[in-house]
Amino acid sequence: MTSPKKLVLILGDQLDLESTALADFDAANDQILMVESIHEAQYVWSHQAKIALFISAMRHFARALKDLNYPLTYIRNSSLSIVGALKEKILDDNITHLVCIEPGEWRLKQELLELADELHLQLDMREDKHFFCTQKEFQEWAVNKKELRLEYFYRLMRKTHNILIDADGNPEGGQWNFDQDNRKPYPKKGPGIIDDPMMFEPDEITQEVIEFVGKTYPDHPGSLEKFRWPVTRHQALEALHYFVEYRLRNFGIYQDAMWTNTPYGWHSILSSSLNLKLLNPREVIAAVLDAWKKYSLDLSTVEGFIRQILGWREFVRGMYYLDMPQMAEDNYYNHQNALPQWYWNGKTNMACMRDAIGQTLEYGYAHHIQRLMVTGNFALLAEILPSEVCEWYLAIYVDAIEWVELPNTAGMALFANGGRFTSKPYIASGAYIKRMSNYCDSCQYKPDVRFGASACPMTTLYWNFLIKHREQFESSPRTRLMTANLKRISDTDQKAIVQHARRILSDLNAL
């Protein structure tokens, strides 16, 4: 009896030779398909470095498959969507079975399900093993809970996987969370010497990709000049080793700090490798735990890093699949302003936004506080339509895949789901930016001025937001102190703040 014709689809963010999609692969009868789709780079206006990263990593992975004699069809620069190219391949080769790992994008998952139904395919969509928590496990945890909060999920993950748990079953150090120890700004004189993360000179494949992207997507945002991202499993492992050996020690204390011309700080820069599946989070956490013991690192640093991987990364993935497609449509405050054009070019007078966006355009990267408390904070205060902000984040960062980008942007930065999994809107005035950075030193706006020509737009819009949503903020113990500060501002000044905010909101492009 002839074996059924089985096709394994490998997506650009599933680059793992140990993937369960290949677990029962029969080289005599099965095939592999990978597709470079122009559509995927264009349905959001993607950063050139993001396009280059995905294509280069895919081409390197394709070479690894061929070196192992896997039968691979690799389609370059297809004008079709991934599903369109897949359909054409299935019909041409009379494929009856399709195997894939569940996509990291709800849209693509639905398209694959619809294609299987249309073509009467046997679809074997397998769980992504690059996560500690399965979707089923997350759903079982979330069911009937009044509040879905990271902290409780994170504690469960620690216990379930015996990570940072002592011999008595208690958290190492006697507490679950050392976040309060990891929020310090750099010293007033600056961060001093920071060991650069390990980056990689483009090899022949990557150079070819960079040239291709520059010619094919010349009008897309961003630059390719600083492209040094890991694009292979070997490079990703080197980057991990370098981080735990030389940079992890200072990650915790300064993970929220910002400084001009300091694009990476002490951050790991491993998110792109994790999200492309060049690294497994289990080996990342294992390497951090080994370094903790080897170098007697501060527990607060180690716990803070592990919380991002074992806690937040797993949590937002669970929330994404739990709440889609509604998550993409949520707009709790009914914000409608258009995204300012300067989000795409960095040409604004606000130094904090200019630096964070300029860095993003140059490298395709900004760390979590720059994303949450600078570009995200402004977008919320400026009442920008959440879908436009989410498209920008998905397009502009090299590590942005929708399962991780959308919950972070819509749910956390923009409070678009009304606090479904966060306890408050993450907003701050210019005073926070001043405390955590040196951005305000070179800015024409003054963070402590609430209205008028010299007022920091972040500050004006912050107070305007509190005035507008005073009732909501006063109803929660976590935010009541913020509105209490309004009582120190006279009614006359509050009216002036609102009037100045209206002028700002009427022409965000002028900032």
Side-chain angles (χ1 to χ4, degrees):
M1 184 175 178
T2 304
S3 298
K5 289 192 173 181
K6 185 168 70 176
L7 180 66
V8 176
L9 174 66
I10 295 180
L11 300 173
D13 61 341
Q14 298 174 348
L15 307 180
D16 177 16
L17 288 173
E18 297 181 2
S19 168
T20 53
L22 299 173
D24 52 359
F25 191 84
D26 178 3
N29 295 292
D30 303 339
Q31 304 174 52
I32 298 174
L33 176 67
M34 296 179 69
V35 182
E36 291 177 14
S37 169
I38 292 176
H39 171 75
E40 292 301 312
Q42 292 183 333
Y43 89 95
V44 292
W45 198 36
S46 296
H47 194 300
Q48 291 184 29
K50 181 179 182 181
I51 302 171
L53 174 63
F54 272 75
I55 294 177
S56 179
M58 287 174 68
R59 291 186 184 180
H60 281 90
F61 187 74
R63 184 174 66 178
L65 287 173
K66 289 179 178 177
D67 288 345
L68 293 170
N69 296 316
Y70 278 99
L72 169 67
T73 299
Y74 189 95
I75 302 175
R76 291 193 178 196
N77 202 24
S78 174
S79 59
L80 300 174
S81 67
I82 291 174
V83 173
L86 172 63
K87 180 178 180 179
E88 197 172 78
K89 173 72 172 174
I90 288 169
L91 293 175
D92 286 347
D93 291 4
N94 297 314
I95 300 295
T96 57
H97 288 56
L98 177 62
V99 176
C100 66
I101 300 296
E102 184 171 38
E105 189 168 16
W106 190 87
R107 166 191 65 93
L108 185 52
K109 178 180 178 180
Q110 301 311 305
E111 289 177 357
L112 288 172
L113 292 171
E114 291 166 7
L115 180 68
D117 185 60
E118 176 191 347
L119 300 183
H120 305 291
L121 286 171
Q122 181 177 325
L123 175 60
D124 183 2
M125 188 177 283
R126 300 176 180 178
E127 183 80 31
D128 193 332
K129 297 298 185 181
H130 275 254
F131 296 91
F132 285 89
C133 184
T134 68
Q135 288 187 43
K136 182 181 179 183
E137 289 169 342
F138 189 87
Q139 289 167 0
E140 290 172 350
W141 172 80
V143 70
N144 297 327
K145 280 189 169 55
K146 290 183 179 179
E147 288 187 336
L148 297 174
R149 295 291 182 259
L150 165 67
E151 187 63 30
Y152 306 113
F153 172 77
Y154 171 54
R155 293 180 187 185
L156 175 64
M157 288 292 98
R158 291 264 297 272
K159 293 175 183 176
T160 300
H161 299 281
N162 195 31
I163 295 174
L164 290 181
I165 300 293
D166 66 21
D168 297 321
N170 298 314
E172 291 282 0
Q175 63 190 70
W176 292 101
N177 188 315
F178 291 84
D179 192 38
Q180 71 277 5
D181 298 329
N182 293 330
R183 297 176 176 173
K184 293 186 178 180
Y186 292 125
K188 289 186 177 180
K189 292 183 179 179
I193 297 174
I194 296 178
D195 295 316
D196 288 334
M198 177 166 279
M199 292 297 190
F200 302 88
E201 287 297 320
D203 63 9
E204 186 177 346
I205 291 177
T206 301
Q207 288 175 2
E208 179 184 330
V209 169
I210 288 172
E211 183 178 354
F212 164 74
V213 171
K215 289 180 178 178
T216 308
Y217 305 97
D219 298 327
H220 280 235
S223 168
L224 291 164
E225 291 182 10
K226 300 291 180 65
F227 189 95
R228 299 292 186 276
W229 295 99
V231 292
T232 67
R233 164 81 173 152
H234 178 73
Q235 288 179 345
L237 286 170
E238 281 192 276
L240 169 60
H241 175 75
Y242 188 87
F243 170 68
V244 298
E245 287 291 317
Y246 302 107
R247 294 168 54 78
L248 174 60
R249 65 186 185 276
N250 286 323
F251 162 77
I253 189 172
Y254 295 128
Q255 64 175 286
D256 286 6
M258 299 175 285
W259 202 265
T260 53
N261 301 314
T262 309
Y264 302 119
W266 290 99
H267 287 261
S268 72
I269 325 300
L270 297 174
S271 55
S272 65
S273 294
L274 277 164
N275 293 349
L276 291 174
K277 313 302 164 47
L278 299 174
L279 288 176
N280 190 299
R282 292 169 184 82
E283 65 192 347
V284 173
I285 288 178
V288 169
L289 291 173
D290 287 345
W292 171 46
K293 297 296 186 181
K294 181 179 178 181
Y295 300 117
S296 300
L297 300 178
D298 288 342
L299 179 58
S300 59
T301 284
V302 172
E303 186 278 319
F305 183 86
I306 287 176
R307 183 164 12 102
Q308 291 189 9
I309 305 293
L310 182 65
W312 190 248
R313 186 173 187 267
E314 299 282 330
F315 181 77
V316 296
R317 177 178 180 260
M319 290 304 310
Y320 174 78
Y321 281 106
L322 195 65
D323 284 4
M324 282 298 285
Q326 183 60 46
M327 180 182 285
E329 302 168 7
D330 285 333
N331 189 356
Y332 176 75
Y333 289 115
N334 193 30
H335 288 168
Q336 300 295 329
N337 285 337
L339 189 76
Q341 186 59 35
W342 44 259
Y343 263 77
W344 296 104
N345 57 36
K347 295 179 180 179
T348 172
N349 293 318
M350 287 184 287
C352 59
M353 297 292 285
R354 185 171 64 243
D355 191 85
I357 293 173
Q359 168 190 312
T360 295
L361 292 169
E362 189 171 5
Y363 298 97
Y365 174 83
H367 70 65
H368 66 277
I369 291 299
Q370 292 172 311
R371 299 189 202 193
L372 175 64
M373 299 308 299
V374 181
T375 53
N377 180 38
F378 180 84
L380 175 56
L381 298 177
E383 303 178 4
I384 299 171
L385 182 67
S387 61
E388 290 199 10
V389 185
C390 292
E391 280 193 8
W392 182 79
Y393 276 91
L394 184 60
I396 211 74
Y397 291 111
V398 297
D399 56 4
I401 298 167
E402 194 177 71
W403 67 263
V404 66
E405 174 276 322
L406 187 61
N408 273 294
T409 307
M412 192 175 188
L414 302 179
F415 204 73
N417 57 11
R420 167 85 163 137
F421 56 84
T422 54
S423 59
K424 64 176 182 177
Y426 283 84
I427 60 169
S429 70
Y432 173 84
I433 308 296
K434 182 178 181 179
R435 183 169 69 252
M436 297 306 298
S437 74
N438 69 333
Y439 293 153
C440 300
D441 296 348
S442 59
C443 190
Q444 71 178 51
Y445 300 116
K446 307 303 178 188
D448 54 344
V449 178
R450 300 189 182 108
F451 59 89
S454 64
C456 170
M458 204 86 80
T459 298
T460 303
L461 294 178
Y462 169 80
W463 291 110
N464 177 69
F465 196 89
L466 286 181
I467 292 167
K468 182 178 289 189
H469 302 290
R470 187 191 312 242
E471 186 175 335
Q472 176 201 356
F473 277 74
E474 288 181 344
S475 68
S476 169
R478 290 210 68 192
T479 54
R480 195 172 295 144
L481 286 175
M482 298 167 77
T483 46
N485 289 325
L486 281 172
K487 296 175 183 177
R488 302 174 186 174
I489 303 175
S490 69
D491 289 344
T492 300
D493 281 0
Q494 288 191 38
K495 289 178 181 177
I497 288 169
V498 171
Q499 289 175 351
H500 186 56
R502 285 174 181 164
R503 288 195 291 273
I504 293 174
L505 294 170
S506 69
D507 189 8
L508 294 172
N509 281 307
L511 293 173

